[in-house]
Amino acid sequence: MNKDNKEFCDLLTSLRSKHAFEIKFANDKVEKFSPLTTAQLKNLIKTVVDTSLTQIEFNSATLAVMKECYQGMDVSALNDLTIADKLLFLIETRINSISSSITIEDGEDKVTLDLNKIKENLNKAIEDNKATFVDHSISSDEVTLTIGLPTLKTEHQVDEEIYKTLKLDTDNQEQVRKLLGEAFVVELAKVVKSITVGDKTLNTSELSFPERQKTVENLPALLIQQVINYVENYKKVLNGCLVIEDHSLPIDGSLFSLQ
Amino acid sequence: MKFNVDIGLHKLTCTEISVKQYKELLKCIWPENPAPASTLDSLFEIFSELADKPVSFFYNLNLLELFMFVLGLRIQTFGPICNLTVKNNEDKQVTVNLNLIPIYQTTKQVLHLIVNKSINFDDLTIKLKLPKITRLFEEANESCLLFLDEIITNKQDSIVIQTNKQAQEFFDAISPKLAQAIFKKAEEIANEIHSVNFFSTYSTLENHKLPLFTTADILLWYTKLFFSEELDTLYDNIFYLSHIGHMDASYIENCTPGEYIFFVKKLEHVLQAKQEAAGGNNQADDHSDLDQMSEE
């Protein structure tokens, strides 16, 4: 880009910061973000391609856009935000960058949803489920786990180290069974933040994800059951926030279509 | 002789086209599907000579201005009536005497309507215009980029968009809401143009459309319609005018097409008279010459 154009694009950036909006996350921190640019919107929409990597591509695009739109001082702080915070970011960004209404296809019907309602649902769910949405401990015998909602850093790690490297042959039933089993352990491993045995603590976020998976596989069954209950519970709460009058809002690139 | 062509923002004084230049024009548009970029490049060299303007002048015009120039040239060269064969409402082939003057006037009106479209958004004024020919042939991921012309801030800083690449850079940097507004405005301009039907005043052609356009290949289609003499017919006529009419070929090439047509008709008339005088016998060569010569 030549010098004149660069100065002008800087001007456009400063204009966008005028329309920056604030989001209060589950940890009660308030952060500022600028609305999307058209280029960022395109990057989100183009993840709507029907492949096995669609959701992973969308997750990556979301994280990239979040960092680009962030108006705060420390962008690395975004890595500690959780998947609930990601939902808040996506909904607020959609409202502020495009509009608060979205038309979705539900079977043969076209339904218009009010995203402000979804935002209300999320904020209420966060308020009513504080115990679930912040990190907390569970114990059995001498093992104590710190569990909490998966962070964006963890989600990104899983996508990069596990899902993107998968080569799935759907005709190979043995492979499918193995991968489904591993996916189950992945969901559990995502929520386990640390493991304490006696006076020794392992911070699982410092491990590679395959190592993290292996560690979780060796946990006592009673603790695994509690982790399963936790995962089922938080997913139920979050998914419930996305439903208005029996219509569920998809959280993918189609959220940013201009409808 | 000189004549004036009004193409909206520019009023051009042009010299009449010579047969030599007319021949070059026919050569440019002779292929069945002439490649727009190279064909326009060749045509602009001819137009540049006629209007005494650099070739770059024509590259900076938009399609409607160029269309008005071609119309003006055609009206001056061969008159305002152009024959066009179409199927009428009853599915029969008919020849329409298309009057080019109303077409010129309609095009001028549409140009006037769409010449200054703008969007005010926050502190920005975005000006949209019909794209110049140069930008038509640049790569553009979205057609609305072609219409982006100038961006002005509230402090009156202005950036003129010169290329589609620049337009893309700005488009990527703006908000989706503004992008959508630009897209809608560009669509509005295109719809204004596409809604024009030059057949609307011809009652027998209600079911047909002769549209105004936003692409270079349609401009070339119209140019072929307005200058529809077959190239080999032109060559034949020049040959017969010099071989039978004893006219100097270089003299013919310096005439105007109107004069050339006059001489062709004159030669036809002379040959016809000769044939009749000879009783129509043993004039096989002349008779076949008569068949070969044709007029616009």
Side-chain angles (χ1 to χ4, degrees):
Chain A
M1 194 188 286
N2 69 33
K3 184 174 168 290
D4 280 344
N5 287 357
K6 184 170 181 325
E7 279 171 4
F8 200 81
C9 281
D10 290 343
L11 173 65
L12 290 174
T13 306
S14 72
L15 284 173
R16 275 202 349 267
S17 67
K18 267 193 188 179
H19 293 285
F21 54 95
E22 288 181 341
I23 304 175
K24 186 179 170 191
F25 289 117
N27 57 7
D28 290 332
K29 278 193 180 163
V30 175
E31 299 283 7
K32 248 188 186 174
F33 294 89
S34 61
L36 295 176
T37 63
T38 309
Q40 289 165 339
L41 182 79
K42 277 193 281 193
N43 286 342
L44 287 167
I45 290 175
K46 73 184 183 192
T47 62
V48 182
V49 175
D50 191 16
T51 72
S52 56
L53 295 179
T54 293
Q55 195 57 44
I56 295 165
E57 299 293 348
F58 180 69
N59 292 345
S60 294
T62 303
L63 190 58
V65 161
M66 215 174 186
K67 288 178 178 175
E68 287 163 16
C69 292
Y70 180 62
Q71 301 268 296
M73 301 298 286
D74 179 19
V75 74
S76 65
L78 297 179
N79 287 328
D80 295 332
L81 294 177
T82 68
I83 55 173
D85 298 320
K86 185 178 79 169
L87 282 178
L88 281 170
F89 169 77
L90 286 169
I91 301 297
E92 277 281 12
T93 297
R94 199 334 176 140
I95 291 170
N96 283 280
S97 301
I98 302 174
S99 77
S100 60
S101 71
I102 182 170
T103 303
I104 62 168
E105 285 180 10
D106 194 350
E108 286 179 7
D109 300 328
K110 281 193 174 180
V111 178
T112 300
L113 301 179
D114 180 2
L115 293 172
N116 283 316
K117 190 79 186 69
I118 304 270
K119 187 172 98 172
E120 264 175 47
N121 290 347
L122 275 169
N123 284 321
K124 188 167 185 307
I126 289 169
E127 200 51 49
D128 294 347
N129 295 277
K130 276 265 191 240
T132 303
F133 281 34
V134 296
D135 293 354
H136 56 281
S137 301
I138 56 173
S139 299
S140 175
D141 295 332
E142 290 178 26
V143 183
T144 301
L145 304 183
T146 305
I147 59 174
L149 289 185
T151 63
L152 297 187
K153 183 183 170 190
T154 301
E155 188 182 59
H156 184 68
Q157 196 183 10
V158 167
D159 288 343
E160 293 295 312
E161 293 180 22
I162 306 291
Y163 292 137
K164 272 190 182 173
T165 60
L166 280 179
K167 282 176 179 43
L168 178 61
D169 175 7
T170 51
D171 290 331
N172 184 337
Q173 294 214 356
E174 189 52 45
Q175 192 195 28
V176 170
R177 251 196 296 271
K178 183 169 177 276
L179 283 169
L180 281 174
E182 284 179 4
F184 174 72
V185 177
V186 163
E187 288 305 303
L188 301 185
K190 271 157 70 169
V191 304
V192 176
K193 311 279 178 102
S194 70
I195 304 169
T196 303
V197 182
D199 59 355
K200 286 194 166 30
T201 298
L202 174 66
N203 185 349
T204 53
S205 63
E206 289 168 5
L207 304 174
S208 72
F209 208 85
E211 287 170 340
R212 195 162 161 171
Q213 258 179 280
K214 276 218 149 23
T215 312
V216 165
E217 280 169 1
N218 289 318
L219 290 173
L222 216 57
L223 276 177
I224 293 281
Q225 188 56 52
Q226 290 185 65
V227 174
I228 292 172
N229 292 344
Y230 174 74
V231 171
E232 283 176 352
N233 187 36
Y234 90 68
K235 283 187 184 243
K236 187 179 166 191
V237 169
L238 287 180
N239 289 340
C241 296
L242 302 175
V243 177
I244 298 178
E245 291 172 13
D246 296 332
H247 302 292
S248 184
L249 178 72
I251 300 296
D252 57 27
S254 65
L255 183 62
F256 292 92
S257 67
L258 295 173
Q259 282 184 318
Chain B
M1 196 183 100
K2 292 196 188 280
F3 64 99
N4 293 323
V5 183
D6 177 356
I7 58 169
L9 290 178
H10 306 279
K11 286 172 180 39
L12 303 175
T13 301
C14 302
T15 49
E16 286 186 293
I17 193 169
S18 66
V19 168
K20 185 178 179 185
Q21 289 164 326
Y22 173 58
K23 180 180 66 174
E24 293 304 314
L25 186 150
L26 290 183
K27 278 157 80 173
C28 290
I29 60 176
W30 175 74
E32 200 168 311
N33 294 307
S38 53
T39 306
L40 283 181
D41 196 53
S42 305
L43 284 174
F44 289 169
E45 285 185 14
I46 302 168
F47 296 166
S48 162
E49 288 171 8
L50 298 177
D52 194 25
K53 293 276 187 194
V55 167
S56 57
F57 171 82
F58 292 93
Y59 272 110
N60 285 326
L61 297 179
N62 60 53
L63 274 176
L64 295 196
E65 288 168 331
L66 206 45
F67 186 49
M68 286 167 70
F69 181 83
V70 171
L71 277 163
L73 180 62
R74 198 324 180 146
I75 291 169
Q76 174 64 25
T77 305
F78 290 124
I81 303 299
C82 176
N83 292 336
L84 172 63
T85 305
V86 294
K87 281 191 181 170
N88 66 6
N89 293 345
E90 288 144 24
D91 217 29
K92 286 181 188 161
Q93 286 228 331
V94 293
T95 299
V96 176
N97 295 330
L98 199 63
N99 189 338
L100 302 183
I101 292 175
I103 290 179
Y104 171 87
Q105 286 165 345
T106 304
T107 307
K108 192 174 175 186
Q109 276 167 13
V110 170
L111 187 62
H112 180 71
L113 273 175
I114 61 176
V115 72
N116 276 318
K117 293 278 189 188
S118 62
I119 300 166
N120 293 316
F121 194 93
D122 287 343
D123 294 335
L124 296 178
T125 300
I126 315 289
K127 287 192 172 180
L128 285 88
K129 275 189 187 167
L130 273 183
K132 298 176 190 177
I133 301 295
T134 39
R135 285 188 58 184
L136 276 186
F137 294 120
E138 289 172 10
E139 204 180 303
N141 290 333
E142 274 129 314
S143 52
C144 63
L145 295 178
L146 295 169
F147 293 83
L148 273 175
D149 183 64
E150 190 182 4
I151 299 162
I152 304 171
T153 68
N154 61 343
K155 291 177 191 166
Q156 301 308 309
D157 292 325
S158 156
I159 291 279
V160 175
I161 307 289
Q162 305 280 6
T163 65
N164 291 343
K165 186 166 178 257
Q166 283 179 333
Q168 183 73 64
E169 285 169 349
F170 291 130
F171 201 71
D172 283 346
I174 57 177
S175 71
K177 284 181 188 171
L178 178 52
Q180 203 172 17
I182 290 170
F183 178 78
K184 282 198 165 112
K185 192 58 87 172
E187 205 175 40
E188 204 179 284
I189 295 172
N191 287 343
E192 193 85 57
I193 294 170
H194 291 146
S195 66
V196 171
N197 178 11
F198 297 128
F199 276 163
S200 59
T201 53
Y202 296 82
S203 56
T204 55
L205 301 172
E206 277 165 0
N207 298 336
H208 295 69
K209 192 167 184 194
L210 189 65
L212 200 45
F213 52 87
T214 52
T215 60
D217 51 349
I218 306 293
L219 172 68
L220 291 177
W221 182 87
Y222 273 106
T223 309
K224 279 175 90 121
L225 173 67
F226 300 156
F227 299 97
S228 58
E229 182 171 11
E230 295 288 339
L231 192 57
D232 50 357
T233 304
L234 175 71
Y235 282 128
D236 281 344
N237 286 343
I238 292 175
F239 173 77
Y240 293 128
L241 282 172
S242 58
H243 177 66
I244 301 171
H246 307 294
M247 292 181 75
D248 187 70
S250 59
Y251 172 78
I252 298 167
E253 287 207 332
N254 283 325
C255 290
T256 65
E259 288 165 335
Y260 143 82
I261 295 291
F262 175 84
F263 291 133
V264 165
K265 283 188 197 283
K266 199 74 181 171
L267 185 60
E268 264 185 15
H269 178 75
V270 164
L271 289 174
Q272 180 86 25
K274 263 191 189 175
Q275 239 186 344
E276 281 166 7
N281 292 326
N282 302 321
Q283 300 297 326
D285 285 342
D286 284 348
H287 191 70
S288 70
D289 292 339
L290 207 64
D291 287 342
Q292 286 284 336
M293 292 169 74
S294 62
E295 57 199 47
E296 260 255 310

